[in-house]
Amino acid sequence: MALEDAKNEIDMAFTRENLRGLAYENAFAGAVSFLRRRYTKDLTGVDLAVTGVPFDQAVTHRPGTRFGPRAIREASTLQAFDAPYGWGYDPLSEMAVVDYGDVAFDYAYTPDVPARVQEHIAKILEAGAGTITLGGDHFITLPILRAYAAHHGPVALIQFDAHSDTWADDDFSRIDHGTFLYKALKQGVVRPETTVSVGIRTDNPDTCGVNILDAPFVHQAGVAETVARIKAVVGDRPCYVTFDIDCLDPAFAPGTGTPVWGGLASWQAAAILRGLAGINLVGGDVVEVSPPYDTTGATAIAGAHVASELIALYGWTRRAAR
């Protein structure tokens, strides 16, 4: 395909014949999938499945992250024409990447959601593919990590966030976006010594032994030192990256439920993600995009770029394995 094919090609989310390659249909038209990948539940030959969890339960301030997956997909149509800048390769041509759609759940029966999310992710992993998940509030990362731990054993974790999400909560039936990491640590699906949280800028009396590279550290030490510290923590272990969009300063991502000033600039996040090339990435997510609070769409654009970088990181891991 080439750009001139946009006059004939449309709705590639359904009409695409090949799972690999870029897409050139008009950004403002057609069925919207992430990066115009094919919507499919057939995981035969798939390397990576992008999927959504349109769920928010009780965020601290501003609800609406259930609309995050839809907004991120729409924003990604601006990125579907080209390989991600600066990587030197095109992950969409080297890997079979699909849009697996969203997790189905009964909105009126919230207690069922964790199991539904875990089963959804487990099915993808059992088929041999990795996942990049679009959220949704940060709670969704907990059942995702449970699925990954069942498949890989405890994974190393890189958390980009304004909040540590390690507030104590020993009622494991509660569904709370602010305690996902506390519960993941307590359940052993991740371990504190191989977990690093980047961009933190809110107080918490107990970070459960997690390695913290807070926002002031990133600003003062710089990108290179931050990347080196992260890599020292995760090593070559299977690693999962969760990116809460409120890691970014509200100037760059106002559409989130819990904005906190003093955060990372988008260029810092981009440079850190790029610098992580070489980690053993097995999956990732971007969460807490709340489009009702950002009429410009900048937050969804940031979320789409994060997801694209995670795809490139995943492809880089596969390249190294070859």
Side-chain angles (χ1 to χ4, degrees):
M1 285 192 64
L3 190 57
E4 61 268 20
D5 292 324
K7 63 187 177 184
N8 297 315
E9 295 287 348
I10 195 71
D11 297 327
M12 292 190 69
F14 302 109
T15 62
R16 169 185 289 276
E17 295 181 359
N18 194 320
L19 296 183
R20 303 188 184 206
L22 298 169
Y24 296 97
E25 65 184 278
N26 290 320
F28 55 82
V32 176
S33 61
F34 189 78
L35 294 179
R36 303 291 192 180
R37 311 323 299 162
R38 185 197 292 174
Y39 267 122
T40 182
K41 298 297 185 184
D42 181 1
L43 293 170
T44 305
V46 170
D47 298 306
L48 187 64
V50 178
T51 190
V53 185
F55 174 82
D56 63 74
Q57 149 96 358
V59 295
T60 306
H61 181 43
R62 304 187 299 188
T65 57
R66 66 188 63 187
F67 298 108
R70 181 179 295 178
I72 292 170
R73 285 184 173 106
E74 182 176 356
S76 78
T77 62
L78 294 169
Q79 301 167 234
F81 308 107
D82 301 298
Y85 181 78
W87 276 94
Y89 88 110
D90 175 15
L92 298 182
S93 295
E94 291 199 5
M95 295 190 294
V97 181
V98 303
D99 193 322
Y100 193 67
D102 289 345
V103 174
F105 58 87
D106 182 348
Y107 72 91
Y109 192 65
T110 303
D112 191 44
V113 172
R116 298 297 293 269
V117 174
Q118 185 172 342
E119 290 165 6
H120 180 89
I121 299 298
K123 184 177 180 180
I124 298 170
L125 298 180
E126 288 163 6
T131 66
I132 301 298
T133 303
L134 315 176
D137 75 38
H138 215 156
F139 163 78
I140 71 167
T141 303
L142 177 58
I144 293 172
L145 287 173
R146 288 172 180 156
Y148 267 87
H151 192 77
H152 292 282
V155 293
L157 179 68
I158 303 171
Q159 173 197 10
F160 290 87
D161 210 325
H163 314 88
S164 67
D165 289 348
T166 55
W167 285 279
D169 181 6
D170 291 306
D171 181 351
F172 287 87
S173 67
R174 290 187 71 253
I175 296 174
D176 189 329
H177 73 290
T179 64
F180 93 88
L181 184 51
Y182 178 89
K183 291 175 178 175
L185 290 163
K186 291 295 182 179
Q187 293 182 334
V189 296
V190 295
R191 295 179 175 134
E193 65 271 19
T194 56
T195 297
V196 56
S197 297
V198 183
I200 305 301
R201 52 195 188 278
T202 52
D203 283 330
N204 188 333
D206 185 5
T207 55
C208 298
V210 168
N211 299 275
I212 303 291
L213 303 178
D214 63 14
F217 173 87
V218 177
H219 298 323
Q220 294 164 19
V223 168
E225 179 62 21
T226 300
V227 169
R229 294 282 190 97
I230 295 171
K231 286 185 169 180
V233 171
V234 302
D236 60 358
R237 304 169 187 85
C239 181
Y240 188 91
V241 172
T242 180
F243 195 109
D244 187 328
I245 206 68
D246 70 24
C247 180
L248 300 181
D249 190 87
F252 300 92
T256 184
T258 49
V260 184
W261 78 337
L264 273 59
S266 58
W267 72 263
Q268 289 174 306
I272 293 169
L273 286 169
R274 186 65 50 87
L276 292 178
I279 64 171
N280 183 13
L281 187 72
V282 292
D285 63 52
V286 54
V287 298
E288 306 230 350
V289 171
S290 191
Y293 301 97
D294 179 8
T295 57
T296 70
T299 310
I301 291 169
H305 278 281
V306 169
S308 295
E309 291 295 294
L310 292 176
I311 289 173
L313 273 172
Y314 186 85
W316 199 264
T317 298
R318 291 178 60 86
R319 281 182 142 214
R322 292 198 300 267

